[in-house]
Amino acid sequence: MSILLFNPDSDPALASQLARLLDAQAGVLEQRRFPDGESYLRVHTECKGRRCVILCNLFHPDERLLRLLFLADTLREMGASEVGLVTPYLAYMRQDKRFKPGECVSSRPFARLLSEAFDYLVTVDPHLHRYHSLDEIYTIPSRVVQAAPLIAHWIGQHIRDPLLIGPDSESEQWVSHVAGLAGVPFQILQKERRGDYDVSISLPDLEQGQQCTPVLVDDIISSGRTMLETLSHLQSAGLPRATIIGVHGIFAGDAYTRLTQIADVVTTACIPHLSNQIDIAPPIAEAVRELMQQRDTD
Ligand code: R5P
């Protein structure tokens, strides 16, 4: 029997790509809100004994999580043989430390909720900073798809003489990987974040980079302040218009408008957005297949 793929509305384009790559049948859902705002969910596809995959991309997670958990629970009650989660963007990973007394380290309860509901997890470049692996907080098997080869390929095809710039120490893991694969130079800057919209970035060393095209690479673009602050240094130094590449383009508020005024903005298709230029469906489908094979042999 073919795999059943459900997509509770987070990303129809990626869902149809994955259905084709996994040779999966699209599961049919009925979803609506009751007048009081609670969620109504009904599964219209028979799933007894079938492998189910839910693609639920967890950007804006608070809007999506409850319905996702309801769906996983319903599929199990209906007799699904397994329920896996594909979320190209894994939310709450940046809350990995208690900075002030009483703060919720949200990554942990979030990981517990997903680990209880699913048999496995596939995601793309989660923000692993203080955690070295998802296994530190997730108790289910997971696969991390790396966007670096796809980004390196895109840079090779589109940018002449790139100089890769990572805006902070956390970005080094991605920037150095992309630079190594693309065979181009890179620099890592230092960031100090004092608040959501209050960021300062160290000055780049541009002595040898004046002739290059600056390419800023980071895993997440959220408020955009990290990128905007870095771009302002490059502009002051008289460098050519930069390209910024984000694995996960969240673009909170007016971030995208502000960024596109001064740079070319490119993202992977991890979060559906008009800046998407880098396809991620094939390695995600491969990761799902690997996890299924591993479960078959265990
Ligand atoms: C954190 O260190 C991440 O790698 C990004 O640099 C950060 O999330 C970007 O956030 P924002 O766009 O709000 O500055």
Side-chain angles (χ1 to χ4, degrees), residues 65-103:
L65 183 66
L66 207 49
R67 197 178 263 174
L68 170 64
L69 298 177
F70 290 166
L71 175 57
D73 190 73
T74 309
L75 295 176
R76 287 200 195 282
E77 282 196 343
M78 291 173 71
S81 61
E82 79 184 14
V83 185
L85 173 64
V86 174
T87 178
Y89 175 65
L90 187 58
Y92 282 112
M93 288 298 290
R94 287 179 293 173
Q95 276 74 55
D96 58 1
K97 179 181 167 179
R98 178 166 294 117
F99 294 93
K100 295 178 188 160
E103 278 181 347

Side-chain angles (χ1 to χ4, degrees), residues 94 127 167-168 170-171 174 191 193 196 199 218-227:
R94 287 179 293 173
H127 189 80
D168 54 26
E170 288 146 81
S171 67
W174 294 285
K191 176 167 80 179
R193 184 181 282 280
D196 294 345
V199 167
D218 206 354
D219 61 333
I220 299 171
I221 305 172
S222 180
S223 71
R225 290 308 189 276
T226 300
M227 288 298 192

Side-chain angles (χ1 to χ4, degrees), residues 216-282:
L216 280 54
V217 177
D218 206 354
D219 61 333
I220 299 171
I221 305 172
S222 180
S223 71
R225 290 308 189 276
T226 300
M227 288 298 192
L228 285 165
E229 192 63 23
T230 312
L231 287 167
S232 79
H233 290 321
L234 303 179
Q235 277 189 316
S236 309
L239 260 71
R241 186 176 170 92
T243 296
I244 67 176
I245 304 180
V247 179
H248 305 287
I250 297 174
F251 302 118
D254 62 356
Y256 184 65
T257 309
R258 293 185 61 178
L259 287 166
T260 48
Q261 282 163 359
I262 50 175
D264 297 329
V265 181
V266 172
T267 55
T268 75
C270 278
I271 294 180
H273 189 264
L274 53 94
S275 59
N276 291 168
Q277 287 196 42
I278 302 173
D279 186 18
I280 39 101

